[in-house]
């Protein structure tokens, strides 16, 4: 199947305890460029997240947004630092002896000392958290791939139509070439007759001139290669997979052949067909940029 490089995918896991959502969107890029935006609690899983997504995506600039909301009430826990409290009491005792003042510290006052009592997040079960995250990632990635496949199919149909039109243009150029030679020979004969009047023409000389002219404007090699490139592109489109880079290279070769045909042409019809070919090839190249 052919995939577009643009796409969007989303998956949300919602329970009474939490809501976890993963969103993905992508645009064209030569390589795979993953950007992750997620809560700090998921930073530990970054490598695993990238490895999971690489199973579904080969190319594109992909932005991944992960959000997590915890609805449980026991997300924070009160921690008592007894060793630090003991340190405070030790120094309070030293201050009492040094300054000869009564030590009036009570538990309520000690608890207000920095870091004696702190609120800390509940330690997460990493294995369970990754299981949930992997499920959401997989769901979003599958949705993302489905969107890419739908757009890829539309791209393929459009490109196949363009290739058929390009084929017809090449056929018209091939048909026109013998006509150009016949017209040139006729013009040459008429000119010679006009110049020589009643004198006889040298048919061999006329034939030699036509051959030289034909060699100068011959585009047989270019049209054969163009047809080969068109057929190769069609085959890759039908085969599917990650063919974007290969198709881009073939499109460059097609453009080179069309340029050569245009440079050799001194016929208005062929020039028009070559310009139409270049225009269509450029459209094909633009579409190919969207293929993974």
């Amino acid at each position: 199947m052919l995939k577009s490089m643009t796409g969007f995918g989303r998956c949300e896991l919602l329970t009474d305890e939490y809501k976890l959502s993963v969103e993905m969107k992508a645009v064209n890029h030569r390589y795979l460029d993953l950007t992750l935006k997620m809560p700090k609690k998921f930073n530990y899983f970054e490598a695993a997240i990238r490895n999971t997504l690489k199973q579904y995506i080969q190319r594109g600039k992909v932005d991944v947004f992960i959000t997590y909301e915890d609805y449980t009430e026991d997300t924070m826990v009160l921690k008592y630092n007894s060793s630090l409290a003991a340190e405070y009491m030790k120094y309070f005792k030293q201050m009492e002896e040094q300054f000869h003042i009564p030590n009036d510290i009570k538990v309520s006052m000690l608890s207000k000392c920095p870091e004696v009592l702190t609120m800390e997040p509940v330690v997460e079960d990493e294995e369970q958290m990754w299981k949930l995250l992997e499920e959401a990632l997989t769901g979003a990635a599958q949705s993302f791939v489905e969107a890419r496949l739908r757009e890829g199919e539309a791209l393929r149909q459009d490109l196949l139509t363009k290739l058929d039109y390009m084929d017809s243009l090449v056929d018209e150029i091939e048909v026109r070439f013998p006509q150009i030679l016949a017209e040139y020979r006729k013009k040459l004969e008429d000119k010679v007759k006009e110049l020589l009047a009643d004198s006889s023409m040298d048919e061999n000389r006329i034939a030699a001139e036509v051959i030289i002219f034909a060699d100068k404007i011959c585009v047989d090699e270019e049209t054969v290669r163009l047809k080969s490139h068109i057929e190769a592109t069609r085959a890759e489109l039908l085969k599917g997979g990650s063919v974007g880079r290969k198709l881009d290279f073939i499109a460059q070769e097609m453009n080179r052949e069309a340029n050569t045909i245009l440079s050799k042409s001194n016929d208005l019809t062929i020039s028009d067909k070559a310009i139409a070919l270049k225009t269509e090839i450029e459209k094909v190249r633009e579409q190919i940029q969207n293929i993974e």
Side-chain angles (χ1 to χ4, degrees):
M1 299 290 285
L2 199 68
K3 295 179 186 175
S4 166
M5 269 200 287
T6 58
F8 177 83
R10 187 173 190 275
C11 181
E12 182 177 276
L13 304 180
L14 180 62
T15 70
D16 293 336
E17 297 180 350
Y18 62 85
K19 182 173 79 170
L20 174 62
S21 81
V22 177
E23 289 187 2
M24 302 170 56
K25 64 178 183 178
V27 294
N28 304 348
H29 199 274
R30 289 186 64 188
Y31 309 104
L32 176 59
D33 181 11
L34 281 172
T35 301
L36 305 178
K37 297 181 180 179
M38 56 189 176
K40 290 182 179 180
K41 68 190 307 175
F42 292 137
N43 286 347
Y44 175 78
F45 303 119
E46 181 173 348
I49 291 171
R50 292 181 180 277
N51 289 334
T52 298
L53 294 178
K54 284 178 182 178
Q55 298 175 29
Y56 297 90
I57 312 164
Q58 280 71 51
R59 292 177 66 201
K61 187 180 187 316
V62 185
D63 291 317
V64 182
F65 303 91
I66 302 173
T67 59
Y68 181 77
E69 296 180 41
D70 195 328
Y71 299 144
T72 58
E73 296 181 356
D74 56 348
T75 56
M76 302 292 288
V77 62
L78 187 63
K79 293 287 186 178
Y80 166 53
N81 192 332
S82 60
S83 60
L84 183 60
E87 284 285 311
Y88 276 118
M89 291 303 297
K90 183 180 74 172
Y91 286 110
F92 289 150
K93 183 66 174 174
Q94 287 183 12
M95 292 167 67
E96 177 187 14
E97 294 173 353
Q98 180 180 357
F99 298 109
H100 307 290
I101 55 177
N103 187 348
D104 59 351
I105 295 298
K106 297 181 179 180
V107 172
S108 59
M109 295 178 66
L110 182 61
S111 67
K112 294 177 182 179
C113 293
E115 305 299 323
V116 173
L117 294 177
T118 56
M119 295 292 289
E120 297 181 5
V122 175
V123 177
E124 301 282 358
D125 182 344
E126 291 184 355
E127 185 177 344
Q128 177 63 19
M129 184 58 68
W130 169 245
K131 183 179 179 181
L132 296 174
L133 182 55
E134 185 179 32
E135 181 183 350
L137 280 170
T138 302
Q142 289 174 346
S143 173
F144 177 77
V145 170
E146 288 171 5
R148 279 186 152 193
L149 287 172
R150 286 194 299 271
E151 190 170 335
E153 182 59 27
L155 281 172
R156 176 163 62 181
Q157 295 303 322
D158 180 66
L159 285 169
L160 288 174
T161 301
K162 285 179 167 57
L163 292 176
D164 290 340
Y165 176 53
M166 288 166 59
D167 251 336
S168 69
L169 290 173
V170 177
D171 288 339
E172 291 174 19
I173 290 173
E174 289 180 331
V175 169
R176 178 61 183 156
F177 182 68
Q179 297 173 357
I180 296 173
L181 293 183
E183 291 170 5
Y184 177 74
R185 184 184 183 96
K186 181 70 170 55
K187 286 181 182 179
L188 195 59
E189 289 175 347
D190 291 345
K191 189 67 175 178
V192 171
K193 284 180 181 178
E194 181 183 338
L195 292 173
L196 297 181
D198 295 332
S199 301
S200 61
M201 289 190 302
D202 185 349
E203 289 293 335
N204 291 332
R205 182 60 180 166
I206 294 290
E209 288 293 334
V210 172
I211 290 172
I212 293 172
F213 178 73
D215 185 60
K216 187 184 298 184
I217 67 166
C218 180
V219 292
D220 287 355
E221 292 182 10
E222 288 77 11
T223 55
V224 168
R225 284 195 291 265
L226 253 177
K227 283 196 166 185
S228 174
H229 294 326
I230 290 171
E231 186 53 40
T233 302
R234 186 180 286 114
E236 291 297 329
L237 288 172
L238 294 174
K239 182 176 69 174
S242 298
V243 296
R245 291 181 186 173
K246 186 173 183 179
L247 291 180
D248 186 49
F249 173 76
I250 297 175
Q252 292 179 43
E253 295 301 307
M254 288 195 289
N255 191 57
R256 187 175 290 112
E257 303 301 340
N259 281 333
T260 304
I261 292 173
L262 187 59
S263 66
K264 286 185 175 182
S265 173
N266 65 348
D267 176 72
L268 184 59
T269 300
I270 288 186
S271 294
D272 287 344
K273 302 302 178 187
I275 290 171
L277 262 175
K278 282 177 59 63
T279 302
E280 208 64 19
I281 290 169
E282 188 58 35
K283 291 178 183 177
V284 168
R285 286 191 68 183
E286 288 177 1
Q287 292 287 56
I288 285 171
Q289 302 305 314
N290 295 318
I291 297 176
E292 185 179 62

